[in-house]
Amino acid sequence: MVSRVEHPAAGYRKIFETVEELNEPIPAEITGRIPSWLGGSLLRMGPGLFEIGDEPFHHLFDGYALIHKFDMKDGQVTYYRKFLNSDAYVRAMTENRIVVTEFGTAAYPDPCKNIFSRFFTYFKGMEVTDNCMVNLYPIGEDFYAVTETNYITKVDPDSLETLEKVDLCKYLSVNGLTAHPHIDEDGAVYNIGNCFGKNLSLAYNIVKIPPAQEDKSNPLEKSEVVVQLPSSERLKPSYIHSFGMTKNYFVFVEPPVKINLLKFLSAWSFRGATYMDCFEPNETMGTWFHLATKDPANYLSNHKFRTSAFNIFHHINTYEEEEGFIVVDVCTWKGHDFVYNYLYLANLREDWEDVKKAAMRAPQPEVRRYVLPLDIHREEQGKNLVSLPYTTATAVLRTDGTIWLEPEVLFSGPRLAFEFPQINYSLCSGRKYSFTYGLGLNHFIPDRIVKLNVQTKETWVWQEDECYPSEPLFVSRPGATEEDDGVLLSIVVKPGAERPGFLLVLDAMKLTELARATVNTIIPVTLHGLYKP
């Protein structure tokens, strides 16, 4: 698993290049055998347009959203893609320039306007982007493309048409939500976002969007804030990308990557700034774990968990143990230096040796397990409160009332990240489990798919020369009784091949290839998505 793989041909550059949308689905050529029970659509979101005219986007999370779909039916596979018709995209295509500031690329006034209108436009402020290129998830019976701002976009999962732009601020007291909600067994959607309140007070709101309504009304109209968690700094909320949820608890990990609210507000009044300009590290706070009960919802202010500094983007799974513990498995990056600083497109498109040099300066990735004790007694200061026999993670009560956490490392390899984690969600979310599947990032380049046994730390790897896969989605076999009885679906790019894009179908138990469906087109990097049966 930790073997070094070289990419001197730099074929990975192709996944960061602009492509055109397709007029109609194109048939795939199948090798191997796709399981007869696998029939549905793999839907994925990611950037597909990396420049407008002669204006390039600078960051991985800037390119305009492209929706991808591999359809599997009766042993046949087709591939289709369309750009999301966000306001940002439509206006950019109309004016042939970047009109709305994206994550790491600033928009500037129209140079064709006269000097007075340019002057006033320059100080008008930064619009919030609706470029929903990160993920796709269901709300009720509808599907929404999402990013991390207050805008989500309703799409048709069959035709990939853009249907409706939705402003979450009309329904919820949040300034944006993560692209990684949790979906309960009844279809209710839980998510978390920052909230800027009165007098610049900051908090993190966990929200609930109910499942599909019998009267066919919009579930968003009945959405609510269920619990509010405090920010460790008054003017600097942490960057949130995901959170943990069990049957009875919410777990929010507050990292030391901060949003400077004053910079954020000034960016709104002065052009030339981007979202990336508003992030800064807090070198002293470490990382805090916040805990809240789910029903009834209540913030557990007496449970103050702290550990050393790390970046976190993706939770793997969170579950309760009967002995009174919550186990939190996460993908981490050591330290307070913001990992997104290393995801500018100029870095990712470098020659292989330069890519490696840049990655050597970045935080080191690790998969970690933390254990939060629920029963805390003052007389147990200095003692390890974790008594679970299968983990080396510790929790020690300090004299100031905080509980210091030390993790068990489940996976670590030099400059090799296990990221974009997936589990058998319907069976294991919020429950004790054994397996997670992820994308292996070798110096930030996605070049392998990994299966990790979180109990034994055993790993399995799928890898092929000059192949660049995407997040592997797990699909359970109908009637399966084993946790890993199913397949993994991943979009893979092999730039030098005659048919350079393909849907890869892996046996999730053995991580061996069952089939691939190849198409004669390059497919750019995708971030997240879902399987729609």
Side-chain angles (χ1 to χ4, degrees):
M1 174 57 201
V2 297
S3 61
R4 289 271 66 88
V5 173
E6 301 296 312
H7 300 289
Y12 48 80
R13 291 173 178 165
K14 300 298 290 186
I15 64 176
F16 307 118
E17 292 182 2
T18 291
V19 297
E20 295 181 347
E21 63 182 15
L22 298 173
N23 294 324
E24 58 185 19
I26 58 176
E29 184 178 284
I30 300 172
T31 56
R33 182 176 176 275
I34 294 176
S36 58
W37 53 265
L38 189 63
S41 301
L42 176 66
L43 296 162
R44 303 282 299 169
M45 298 299 304
L49 186 62
F50 293 92
E51 66 282 317
I52 300 294
D54 59 0
E55 295 184 16
F57 286 115
H58 301 309
H59 201 273
L60 175 61
F61 303 141
D62 291 344
Y64 286 130
L66 187 64
I67 315 176
H68 307 258
K69 182 177 70 160
F70 272 97
D71 263 334
M72 294 157 278
K73 185 177 181 181
D74 300 328
Q76 302 299 310
V77 179
T78 59
Y79 170 66
Y80 189 43
R81 65 188 181 214
K82 284 185 71 69
F83 280 104
L84 186 77
N85 282 334
S86 63
D87 287 351
Y89 170 77
V90 171
R91 290 169 60 192
M93 297 303 287
T94 301
E95 300 187 33
N96 196 35
R97 66 185 185 90
I98 299 169
V99 180
V100 179
T101 291
E102 297 298 337
F103 197 74
T105 304
Y108 292 92
D110 186 352
C112 296
K113 293 181 179 179
N114 66 50
I115 189 169
F116 295 106
S117 61
R118 290 207 308 269
F119 178 83
F120 287 113
T121 303
Y122 196 82
F123 288 93
K124 187 174 66 176
M126 190 166 72
E127 295 179 70
V128 176
T129 182
D130 63 340
N131 180 26
C132 298
M133 48 76 75
V134 180
N135 203 359
L136 189 79
Y137 62 80
I139 296 177
E141 296 179 350
D142 299 316
F143 289 82
Y144 289 84
V146 301
T147 181
E148 295 178 330
T149 70
N150 54 300
Y151 294 117
I152 61 177
T153 304
K154 185 177 174 181
V155 298
D156 185 323
D158 297 318
S159 67
L160 306 188
E161 293 292 332
T162 302
L163 300 178
E164 180 186 4
K165 175 180 175 179
V166 176
D167 184 355
L168 291 169
C169 291
K170 293 181 178 180
Y171 305 101
L172 290 161
S173 178
V174 290
N175 294 89
L177 290 175
T178 79
H180 294 286
H182 281 285
I183 301 177
D184 239 345
E185 293 178 350
D186 65 355
V189 175
Y190 289 89
N191 209 338
I192 187 170
N194 285 316
C195 173
F196 304 156
K198 294 180 180 179
N199 302 317
L200 293 181
S201 62
L202 293 175
Y204 309 99
N205 284 348
I206 294 179
V207 306
K208 178 183 180 181
I209 304 171
Q213 305 293 292
E214 291 185 5
D215 61 3
K216 302 298 182 181
S217 61
N218 185 356
L220 283 166
E221 295 175 352
K222 296 180 173 64
S223 56
E224 59 179 333
V225 174
V226 294
V227 65
Q228 189 168 87
L229 312 177
S231 172
S232 62
E233 288 190 78
R234 182 168 176 264
L235 294 177
K236 296 178 181 178
S238 289
Y239 173 70
I240 316 172
H241 195 83
S242 64
F243 69 108
M245 188 177 83
T246 72
K247 180 180 179 181
N248 298 298
Y249 294 92
F250 301 110
V251 176
F252 166 53
V253 180
E254 187 180 21
V257 175
K258 293 291 182 174
I259 303 169
N260 186 316
L261 188 57
L262 296 180
K263 286 184 180 178
F264 195 63
L265 294 175
S266 64
W268 243 252
S269 59
F270 188 78
R271 294 246 175 179
T274 71
Y275 296 88
M276 280 294 293
D277 295 322
C278 303
F279 293 109
E280 62 183 39
N282 182 320
E283 299 180 6
T284 60
M285 74 166 276
T287 301
W288 290 86
F289 283 66
H290 297 273
L291 192 59
T293 54
K294 188 176 173 187
D295 188 19
N298 181 47
Y299 175 58
L300 300 181
S301 58
N302 292 328
H303 290 63
K304 299 178 180 179
F305 302 102
R306 193 182 181 195
T307 189
S308 55
F310 64 78
N311 285 220
I312 176 173
F313 307 105
H314 300 115
H315 283 246
I316 299 174
N317 198 14
T318 307
Y319 63 90
E320 302 166 44
E321 282 284 17
E322 293 180 0
E323 295 90 338
F325 300 97
I326 296 179
V327 178
V328 185
D329 291 350
V330 287
C331 299
T332 70
W333 301 75
K334 295 179 183 179
H336 49 69
D337 186 16
F338 195 24
V339 170
Y340 286 2
N341 291 331
Y342 299 88
L343 298 182
Y344 282 94
L345 291 167
N347 295 339
L348 298 173
R349 291 166 173 163
E350 289 276 16
D351 290 333
W352 178 237
E353 290 303 318
D354 292 321
V355 166
K356 289 196 294 182
K357 287 178 184 177
M360 292 301 289
R361 298 189 294 269
Q364 166 69 10
E366 275 186 348
V367 177
R368 294 178 177 178
R369 167 165 289 172
Y370 289 90
V371 178
L372 315 183
L374 296 173
D375 298 323
I376 302 163
H377 305 286
R378 278 284 170 189
E379 63 273 14
E380 296 182 315
Q381 286 182 19
K383 173 187 173 184
N384 176 22
L385 304 179
V386 179
S387 58
L388 295 176
Y390 59 80
T391 181
T392 57
T394 62
V396 176
L397 181 63
R398 292 183 162 182
T399 55
D400 62 0
T402 62
I403 300 161
W404 185 264
L405 305 175
E406 287 291 346
E408 176 185 6
V409 177
L410 301 180
F411 171 79
S412 180
R415 311 300 156 191
L416 184 61
F418 179 99
E419 265 290 359
F420 297 85
Q422 293 288 311
I423 60 172
N424 184 337
Y425 192 88
S426 60
L427 182 68
C428 300
S429 178
R431 302 178 179 92
K432 191 173 182 179
Y433 72 117
S434 294
F435 302 109
T436 178
Y437 314 90
L439 185 62
L441 302 180
N442 176 11
H443 296 81
F444 291 111
I445 300 302
D447 67 4
R448 66 195 75 190
I449 293 171
V450 183
K451 176 182 180 179
L452 171 65
N453 185 323
V454 297
Q455 307 298 342
T456 67
K457 303 181 186 178
E458 184 180 4
T459 58
W460 297 258
V461 178
W462 178 90
Q463 192 168 35
E464 188 172 302
D465 286 345
E466 295 299 319
C467 278
Y468 305 100
S470 66
E471 169 192 65
L473 291 182
F474 177 84
V475 183
S476 182
R477 183 180 63 81
T481 57
E482 299 293 325
E483 177 186 332
D484 57 349
D485 187 357
V487 299
L488 297 179
L489 303 178
S490 174
I491 295 177
V492 183
V493 180
K494 189 169 186 175
E498 182 179 343
R499 299 168 71 88
F502 62 93
L503 172 65
L504 176 67
V505 184
L506 296 177
D507 180 323
M509 279 190 174
K510 302 174 183 176
L511 221 64
T512 52
E513 182 173 334
L514 297 176
R516 64 178 64 183
T518 60
V519 289
N520 187 22
T521 183
I522 284 283
I523 302 173
V525 60
T526 64
L527 300 175
H528 301 287
L530 57 82
Y531 172 74
K532 178 178 174 290

